[in-house]
Amino acid sequence: MILWMILGMSVVTLVPRFAPVFIMDRLDLPPWGRRWLAAIPYAALGALIIPGIFTVIDGKPWAGMAGGAAAVIAAWLRAPIMVTVLIAIITVLLISHL
C-alpha cells in the first residue's frame, strides 16, 4: 500500500513538471512572451536568495547585504561561480566580526 502511495505521489509530482516541456514545443509565443518566460528562473532564484541575504546573521542584516553586494560585483566581473560564492562568504565573515 505504501509503495502505491509513493508511486502515485511521484506521478502527481512529475506530470506538472514534464507537461510544459511537451506543450511549449507546440506553442508559438510572441517575442515578449518568450522574454517573459526566460526571466522566470532569475526571478525564482532571486526569491530564494534575497531573504537569505537579510537573515544570514541575526541582528546583522548589513553583513548579508555586504556579502550579496560582493557577490553581485564578482558576478558582474564574470568571476567563476565558486569564486563568487567564496567572495560572498569571506565578506560576510569579515563584516560579521567587525
Side-chain angles (χ1 to χ4, degrees):
M1 182 65 180
I2 292 176
L3 181 61
W4 287 110
M5 289 176 63
I6 292 172
L7 288 173
M9 288 187 287
S10 298
V11 169
V12 169
T13 301
L14 289 175
V15 167
R17 294 174 192 247
F18 283 113
V21 173
F22 300 110
I23 294 171
M24 290 305 295
D25 288 342
R26 293 177 174 80
L27 289 179
D28 188 25
L29 294 175
W32 64 266
R34 293 205 179 271
R35 283 194 311 270
W36 183 76
L37 287 175
I40 290 175
Y42 301 108
L45 186 61
L48 292 171
I49 292 174
I50 298 298
I53 286 177
F54 293 110
T55 60
V56 68
I57 298 176
D58 289 335
K60 294 185 179 180
W62 58 87
M65 290 188 290
V72 167
I73 292 169
W76 188 271
L77 297 174
R78 300 190 187 274
I81 187 72
M82 286 307 297
V83 173
T84 303
V85 170
L86 287 174
I87 287 172
I89 291 170
I90 291 168
T91 303
V92 169
L93 287 174
L94 291 174
I95 297 294
S96 67
H97 284 58
L98 291 178

